Amino acid sequence: IAYSQFRRPLPQGRFNRAMENFNANQHITFTSSKPIYDFYVAGPYQTAEQVESMERLERVLQHRNLSVYRPRFAMDVNVSGPEAVFENRIEAIKNSAAVIANFDDKDAGAIFALAYGFALGKPVYAYCEGILPNSRISLMVDQAATAVLDGPAALEELLDSGQARPIQLDEQ
């Protein structure tokens, strides 16, 4: 699947302010000749529940044969050291077309990946399984996210149609 298949404009109507500045035809320059990933997939993986949530997210992407960078499998900090792991993840974000961050337990690494991807001008998606309308994530995340996805079905919808179902969030 080509990146352009999930870059189509999302439906009219405001569901977060980041969409007002979303340009589906933007050009992103990659900094490396290394393989380019469709998605950098960030999120927690310390508990069984967190791993299950990550696996549901990753399964959707893998069933569409998208290339994904999964930090939890990339490098072992005990072997490579924190500086090498950090640099590897920074390069992977730079060399990914988009970032999807699983906000299960509001993982600090996922928040960083989403923010860094946003700063680089990439589409960033907040994956929040089971989030209910009028819930609160974070004003900064809501404003940065290209879309907030409430689970695997919403991610499938985005990838299949290029559109995300709006979720009304508490922005206070």
Side-chain angles (χ1 to χ4, degrees), residues 24-151:
N25 297 313
Q26 71 186 10
H27 176 73
I28 299 172
T29 303
F30 298 98
T31 59
S32 173
S33 60
K34 294 178 184 176
I36 304 301
Y37 304 100
D38 293 311
F39 282 95
Y40 181 98
V41 183
Y45 49 90
Q46 303 303 318
T47 68
E49 293 81 15
Q50 292 170 340
V51 170
E52 289 168 7
S53 178
M54 290 299 294
E55 288 174 345
R56 286 187 292 272
L57 185 167
E58 294 163 350
R59 198 168 17 258
V60 171
L61 299 171
Q62 291 170 331
H63 283 164
R64 285 165 174 72
N65 296 316
L66 295 168
S67 61
V68 296
Y69 180 90
R70 299 183 298 169
R72 65 192 178 115
F73 296 116
M75 294 178 81
D76 184 342
V77 72
N78 296 316
V79 174
S80 304
E83 187 175 332
V85 170
F86 176 80
E87 291 301 325
N88 177 269
R89 291 177 182 182
I90 290 295
E91 286 303 310
I93 293 170
K94 288 178 183 177
N95 289 298
S96 295
V99 173
I100 185 164
N102 185 334
F103 277 80
D104 184 11
D105 292 333
K106 296 186 175 155
D107 179 68
I111 294 167
F112 177 87
L114 185 127
Y116 189 62
F118 176 80
L120 293 174
K122 298 179 183 295
V124 295
Y125 301 93
Y127 181 86
C128 308
E129 281 190 345
I131 192 168
L132 299 172
N134 298 314
S135 295
R136 173 181 268 174
I137 302 174
S138 156
L139 179 135
M140 296 299 284
V141 170
D142 181 48
Q143 296 304 300
T146 305
V148 176
L149 308 169
D150 63 2

